[in-house]
Amino acid sequence: MIVVLKPDITKKQFDYIINRVKKLGLKPHISKGTERTIIGLIGPEDVLRITPLEVFPGVEKVMPVLAPYKLVSREFQTKNTVVKLSQKLKIGDKKIAVIAGPCAIENYDILYEIAKKIKEAGATILRGGAFKPRTSPYSFQGLGEEGLKYLKQVGESLNMSTVTEVMDTRDVGLVSRYSDMLQIGARNMQNFNLLKEVGQTKKPILLKRGLSSTIKELLMSAEYILSSGNFNVILCERGIRTFEDATRNTLDISAVPIIKKLSHLPVIVDPSHASGKWELISPLSKAAVAVGCDGLLIEVHTKPEEAFSDGNQSLIPNRFKELIKELKPIAKATKREI
Ligand code: PEP
Ligand code: MN
């Protein structure tokens, strides 16, 4: 339920409403817009039948959130969510976030070399998988905790934030100790226990769209995280399965403006997993910035031909650097920065 307040509400009236809803067992989520403030109510709404909030001074109207996802919806919160990774680094504000790094963490030296180069090119967040969701059980599965240690060490020595995937509820605590942001991979988008588990942390969560998931299903998955108490969620369009086989997946570029309309959460695009081809990373990144993405996630490797995984969809650092330069005028044209 959302409570729309009158523009001329007094502080006393506002405080009274907040206290009353709390006493009713509801949690208020205050969203201050440019013109008016709305309060989203979280909890058992049945109590509002006995205490109709419409009669309170300062309340303009009380409306149900019609979408099946509630906390995630634009109706619930009109203002864009800005997720804070560190004091300086935010996702969802004017500056488009650049997340880059290898598909998998292979060893300390390679990770450091890649990180140094992507940082010079303008990336602020280092990615790298330590737990890899591989189609084949015989493929490299990741270095596990050893890889997490490298990620943390490299991130700290270069002053970069970090993100890495967590695949199992049992590893949420472990991965949280090493990484600034937790990634839920496409294959786990509907692992509801995992979503609830990461929802109980305070960490920013990068939630990737499932291979064959609709936008509505992605938003419902995000709702699991928010309803568990964690509002720091970033959504990621990473391509979906279609009949087209010229690319690994089909980048659903329209998902970006659609999600931005339906939800207040930041949306980033991963052109690497979307296309499976390094040649397509540049044009798809440009398209993503043009349609208003809040960030990009790009796989970069110093020696893609030797990468343990996803070498064919990884840019070499020089091309990555070139791309970031080419994105600047597009970002500017959409009133953003990169
Ligand atoms: C990844 O980002 O490392 C990854 C495995 O991506 P996805 O879950 O989108 O396939
Ligand atoms: Mn990969």
Side-chain angles (χ1 to χ4, degrees), residues 59-261:
V59 172
E60 185 163 294
K61 56 182 169 183
V62 180
M63 304 185 302
V65 177
L66 296 176
Y69 38 86
K70 310 286 175 196
L71 312 180
V72 158
S73 75
R74 241 329 146 193
E75 293 160 270
F76 186 82
Q77 182 185 306
T78 43
K79 250 193 347 189
N80 286 338
T81 284
V82 177
V83 176
K84 227 173 148 181
L85 261 96
S86 66
Q87 213 44 29
K88 280 189 299 183
L89 190 57
K90 298 185 182 93
I91 303 183
D93 66 356
K94 192 170 181 202
K95 196 157 167 71
I96 296 167
V98 182
I99 306 169
C103 179
I105 299 161
E106 299 170 8
N107 64 45
Y108 180 89
D109 292 339
I110 294 178
L111 185 67
Y112 185 86
E113 204 188 337
I114 297 170
K116 197 164 165 283
K117 296 208 160 126
I118 57 169
K119 189 187 171 177
E120 280 163 16
T124 47
I125 304 163
L126 175 65
R127 65 146 285 145
F131 295 100
K132 295 302 304 172
R134 305 304 299 278
T135 303
S136 165
Y138 308 117
S139 301
F140 176 61
Q141 303 285 310
L143 295 179
E145 187 169 2
E146 188 192 347
L148 295 175
K149 284 183 183 159
Y150 300 153
L151 184 70
K152 190 171 166 67
Q153 285 164 3
V154 173
E156 279 174 1
S157 63
L158 292 171
N159 196 19
M160 293 179 85
S161 292
T162 52
V163 59
T164 194
E165 178 161 353
V166 58
M167 285 171 50
D168 193 310
T169 48
R170 292 168 296 187
D171 295 329
V172 171
L174 174 81
V175 180
S176 297
R177 284 198 291 283
Y178 289 103
S179 182
D180 299 316
M181 175 155 63
L182 308 180
Q183 177 172 313
I184 302 292
R187 290 154 192 82
N188 269 320
M189 189 204 83
Q190 286 189 317
N191 181 339
F192 302 117
N193 285 338
L194 185 58
L195 298 175
K196 285 190 255 183
E197 196 73 27
V198 296
Q200 277 164 33
T201 73
K202 296 262 175 292
K203 290 270 172 183
I205 309 297
L206 176 51
L207 176 64
K208 296 188 106 183
R209 182 176 179 182
L211 278 71
S212 300
S213 299
T214 62
I215 289 170
K216 192 164 147 190
E217 286 163 342
L218 171 64
L219 294 173
M220 291 307 290
S221 289
E223 186 79 10
Y224 266 91
I225 305 174
L226 270 73
S227 64
S228 303
N230 188 349
F231 272 64
N232 300 312
V233 175
I234 297 136
L235 304 171
C236 179
E237 163 56 39
R238 47 76 73 204
I240 47 173
R241 284 249 166 118
T242 68
F243 55 83
E244 182 54 70
D245 61 4
T247 44
R248 183 176 178 183
N249 292 290
T250 298
L251 178 62
D252 181 7
I253 200 76
S254 54
V256 178
I258 292 172
I259 297 172
K260 300 240 22 131
K261 189 168 170 220

